[in-house]
Amino acid sequence: MAGPTSDEFVNQVRAAVDIVDVVGEYVQLRKSGRAFLGLCPFHSEKSPSFNVNAERQFFHCFGCGAGGDIFSFLMKLEQLTFPEALHKLAERAGIAVQEPQHEEASPEKRARQAMQEAHQLVSKLYHYVLTETPYGVEAIKYLTKRGMSQQTLTEYQIGFAPDSWDFVTQFLKKRNFSQDLMVEAGLLAKSDAGKVFDRFRGRVMFPIHDSQGNVIGFGGRLLDNTQPKSQPKYLNSPESLLFNKSATIFNLHRARPYIRKRKQVLLFEGYVDVVSAWQAGFMQGVATLGTALTEQQARILRRNVDSVVLCYDGDAAGQEATSKAIHVLQQAGLIVRVAPLPQGTDPDDYIRQHGAEAFSQQVLLQAMPVTAFRLKHLRSQYVIKDETDKTRLIAKALEIINELDSPVERDLYQRQLAEEYSLTLGDLKWESKRAYKQQKSERQRDKVSPAWNNSINNGKVTLAKTLPPAYHTAERMLLYYMMRNADIALRVQQECSAHFQADVHDALAAYLYAYYAEGNPEDPGKFIHYVQDESLKQLASGLAMMECKEDVSDLEIGDYIKQVNNYPKRAELERLREQQRSLHLQAAAADSEDARKQLEIQAAITGMKILELENALKEG
């Protein structure tokens, strides 16, 4: 069998996977011409600049410059080594991998692998305890009472942690897992006295997965009235090498295909709401993990979908969390609607009490635009006792309405407000204009220029962009066609008397000469994989993504070669002209006649050299 990183094996794996399918699991892609377009997973952006070439099997982001093949993508996104990315893609394609006997994994990699294995085992253990042992009887009764079916328990691998201090501790110890590492992983905990014990005890356990379906943590919920009130109702795994709470979304791996199919995601506050919604037939639900929605989570959602329905609890805390989440989601470029829930009700309660049909008709289909929610939330914060309170509320409401870009929407909400508070529409519009001018004045005073998201210069935008010199453009065009045509590469190698002036272009050209010399095919995707240097790999992917005509004439290639060959002459010509100007100035300021004549002679000699170079450029 070929070795685990041999060229033959790498090409076999590369041919067996489709970069669009793999990238599509992380990024929402749409067809755009010959490429697929999406939001870059490597930097924050609102307008898509991330391109995937299905035909040639490579990607490039015109925002941050990231680029390469499918292996580069996984290595960069999941912080994998090349062998790890290759192994993962081979497993995906069902290709057997021969493990090397001599390869020594890094300490961090070994730790991650041990944590991953332990989480998988403990997840199965918790589920077994719940469904197959007497320890899980009360928990099964509790979950059945809450309406969870056996199918749901199996689908989500819901389990139960016995009320024991060392049940999992002994389980892992017998399997030779390091206790200190398991404490670091969050499966165990350690007292101040140094005693190791089970972190989760007497709780219903919900496995938390990463975006690819690997268990990386747990959420534990107490059974009702079975534990002291000093215990938190919900307890999540702590941060670890595997688990980053701010960048993890519960149920995303399971809901992703439904999210993309429906072009909408339901965002809940907790995992119980997600599970209840799933069982009721709402498969596109995900949740944060008991904390406020983060910018990272919002960006992950935006890469998968354009629209989100917020379905948080109906109490005051839930409404406040909704207001904060709206801002984060809109900043990420998502279209947001808010599903209304009765005061004091969470989605799980509502579904169990009223059923799936009512949840669909009375909650999801009644989801309101952000402005409607903000006005409703504003009303709930005011107690109208007199005209002063009413005036203040209306002023705040107009501030919200004035933020809308659409004049039609503004008019609609203004009419609703006028009718609600028995005002004439004319008076309300006059007040709205006055308030708008004041808001605009305040915004201008406090205005801060935003950074350009798609910039590769850390958001810095220059007012004037200098066009690249002709030789630079010529070199890029030659490299574009050289990647697609071995004959052009050979012609450039033979006819370019000068090296490419840009060092990175020259280095990439050297790679191309070597690539074709080894008998490799005319395939930009395979060439990008061939390139070892990461920065050159990114340059190659960017060049390969350029929109150029496929059929180029010999004359055009000749012109590009001429631009490259002539650049050293042009640079020398400019140097000589500058030297001649300097000599004339020195002659004019000379202290003696002899010095002046000597400088004039030097200037004349330089002029002859200039004339020779000018003639050479005309003839060339």
Side-chain angles (χ1 to χ4, degrees), residues 184 220 271 277 359 417 425 505 508 513 523 533:
E184 188 180 336
Y271 30 76
F359 185 70
L417 195 64
L425 184 60
H505 293 169
L508 198 62
Y513 301 147
D523 186 331
D533 183 272

Side-chain angles (χ1 to χ4, degrees), residues 59-319:
F59 73 94
H60 185 78
C61 176
F62 289 100
C64 67
D69 59 7
I70 184 58
F71 303 108
S72 307
F73 179 82
L74 276 186
M75 289 166 65
K76 187 173 178 65
L77 191 69
E78 296 197 10
Q79 301 301 303
L80 303 177
T81 63
F82 177 75
E84 288 170 343
L86 178 63
H87 192 161
K88 184 166 185 172
L89 289 170
E91 286 183 337
R92 174 193 177 95
I95 299 172
V97 181
Q98 181 181 3
E99 294 290 353
Q101 299 297 316
H102 60 279
E103 186 175 337
E104 183 69 24
S106 67
E108 182 175 321
K109 181 182 176 182
R110 291 198 301 269
R112 287 180 65 91
Q113 288 175 336
M115 288 182 179
Q116 188 73 76
E117 183 183 353
H119 273 85
Q120 292 293 141
L121 287 171
V122 171
S123 177
K124 292 177 181 177
L125 176 66
Y126 285 148
H127 185 66
Y128 177 80
V129 170
L130 175 71
T131 57
E132 302 293 342
T133 75
Y135 298 108
V137 170
E138 289 302 315
I140 282 285
K141 289 180 181 177
Y142 166 75
L143 292 169
T144 303
K145 183 180 176 182
R146 292 186 67 96
M148 288 193 191
S149 67
Q150 181 60 49
Q151 182 182 353
T152 299
L153 298 181
T154 302
E155 172 67 38
Y156 280 84
Q157 285 292 290
I158 295 170
F160 182 68
D163 193 8
S164 164
W165 290 92
D166 64 352
F167 180 74
V168 173
T169 302
Q170 293 302 320
F171 174 83
L172 293 171
K173 187 176 181 181
K174 288 176 182 176
R175 285 155 180 79
N176 298 318
F177 286 98
S178 161
Q179 288 197 330
D180 286 340
L181 186 62
M182 293 301 98
V183 170
E184 188 180 336
L187 293 170
L188 306 179
K190 184 183 286 188
S191 68
D192 293 337
K195 181 176 176 58
V196 175
F197 56 91
D198 291 9
R199 176 177 292 276
F200 297 100
R201 305 178 304 280
R203 292 177 180 272
V204 175
M205 301 300 293
F206 296 83
I208 298 169
H209 301 78
D210 63 18
S211 62
Q212 300 306 298
N214 302 306
V215 180
I216 57 173
F218 291 95
R221 190 192 193 284
L222 287 177
L223 297 178
D224 290 346
N225 304 318
T226 61
Q227 292 285 348
K229 293 189 181 295
S230 60
Q231 292 285 332
K233 183 177 179 182
Y234 291 99
L235 181 66
N236 283 330
S237 294
E239 299 270 320
S240 71
L241 280 174
L242 295 181
F243 184 43
N244 179 354
K245 191 181 297 185
S246 297
T248 303
I249 299 175
F250 180 76
N251 201 50
L252 179 62
H253 72 292
R254 189 179 287 108
R256 186 190 287 116
Y258 302 96
I259 290 170
R260 293 187 176 174
K261 182 178 180 180
R262 296 174 181 271
K263 296 182 173 27
Q264 187 181 74
V265 61
L266 305 181
L267 181 58
F268 297 97
E269 280 189 280
Y271 30 76
V272 174
D273 295 327
V274 171
V275 175
S276 184
W278 175 280
Q279 184 171 279
F282 306 100
M283 312 295 202
Q284 71 273 36
V286 299
T288 52
L289 297 165
T291 57
L293 180 74
T294 66
E295 291 181 11
Q296 285 174 285
Q297 291 167 330
R299 287 200 297 269
I300 292 169
L301 290 176
R302 179 65 182 87
R303 292 202 299 264
N304 286 277
V305 75
D306 299 324
S307 175
V308 58
V309 174
L310 272 169
C311 201
Y312 282 10
D313 294 356
D315 57 15
Q319 296 301 288

Side-chain angles (χ1 to χ4, degrees), residues 388-420:
T388 302
D389 293 335
K390 180 178 174 181
T391 302
R392 286 165 55 197
L393 187 151
I394 292 170
K396 288 287 185 183
L398 286 175
E399 285 183 17
I400 293 171
I401 294 170
N402 282 340
E403 290 176 12
L404 290 167
D405 292 327
S406 168
V408 175
E409 283 188 274
R410 289 200 300 270
D411 181 74
L412 175 66
Y413 285 111
Q414 287 167 355
R415 289 177 185 277
Q416 291 177 356
L417 195 64
E419 185 177 345
E420 183 176 359

